[in-house]
């Protein structure tokens, strides 16, 4: 699996963006051999399972220049780094409670020349500041996640979507949504991607 799958679904990338997406394979193989970010067998599916999956958010919304996005529980940089490549004029703050993973985020961002990424070793609750959007990839149940980030939104919305959460998650989410008590919109990823991997996956959008 190569970066061609990204170019297939996002044909309007600049040459810089294409080069940055191309570089992710070698960078993540290098760091994954030192710090277990994704399973060894999954590294061969990096572009499908991690990068394209992250970019599902870019199918739902185009972040605007100057908007601020917080990536909670980013791990090795997903979905934050692919989104930061896609939206170079948007500010991304990537946060994880595991320091060695944030070290990888910092090194990958540096290698790619990303000027719009800040990475912090912290828990989400410890982060100050206000954001237009908060993104994450299935770090926990929504009822546990929401209290971490409640109150961290800018009041004024600039985008076509109201400020809120864009959460990547799969499976049967009905019980989890009911338990959370949140107003949720489920956006199925097969709306955008034909690969079987995405059949039961969603962007979960929760307006602030």
């Amino acid at each position: 699996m190569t970066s061609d799958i990204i170019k297939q679904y996002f044909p309007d990338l600049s040459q810089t963006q294409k080069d940055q997406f191309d570089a992710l394979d070698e960078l993540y193989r290098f760091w994954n051999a030192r710090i277990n970010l994704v399973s060894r067998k999954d590294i061969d599916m990096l572009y499908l399972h991690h990068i394209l999956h992250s970019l599902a958010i870019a199918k739902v919304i185009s972040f605007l220049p100057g908007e601020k996005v917080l990536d909670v529980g980013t791990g090795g940089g997903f979905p934050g780094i692919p989104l930061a490549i896609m939206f170079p004029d948007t500010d991304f703050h990537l946060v994880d409670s595991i320091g060695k993973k944030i070290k990888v985020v910092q090194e990958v961002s540096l290698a790619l020349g990303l000027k719009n990424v800040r990475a912090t070793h912290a828990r989400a609750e410890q982060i100050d500041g206000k954001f237009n959007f908060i993104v994450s990839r299935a770090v926990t149940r929504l009822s546990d996640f929401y209290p971490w980030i409640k109150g961290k939104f800018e009041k004024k919305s600039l985008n076509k979507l109201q400020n809120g959460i864009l959460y990547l998650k799969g499976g049967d989410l009905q019980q989890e949504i009911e338990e959370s008590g949140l107003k949720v919109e489920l956006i199925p990823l097969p709306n955008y991607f034909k690969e079987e991997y995405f059949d039961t996956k969603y962007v979960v959008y929760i307006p602030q």
Side-chain angles (χ1 to χ4, degrees), residues 61-75:
I61 189 171
S62 290
F63 293 123
L64 300 174
E67 283 191 315
K68 292 181 285 187
V69 179
L70 177 67
D71 177 4
V72 173
T74 190

Side-chain angles (χ1 to χ4, degrees), residues 20 67 90 119 125 139 141 145 171 174 177 203:
Q20 288 170 327
E67 283 191 315
T90 301
E125 305 97 306
V139 290
R141 294 178 75 79
F145 181 80
Q174 207 54 48
I177 290 166
V203 172

Side-chain angles (χ1 to χ4, degrees), residues 3 5-6 10 21 24-25 28 45-56 78-79 82-83 85 137 193 198:
S3 62
I5 195 168
I6 308 302
F10 296 92
F21 281 122
L24 290 178
D25 184 65
Y28 277 107
M45 301 303 287
L46 179 76
Y47 282 103
L48 180 68
H49 292 180
H50 300 281
I51 299 169
L52 190 60
H53 188 208
S54 296
L55 291 174
F78 302 108
L83 291 172
I85 294 172
R137 269 212 318 173
F193 305 136
F198 298 110

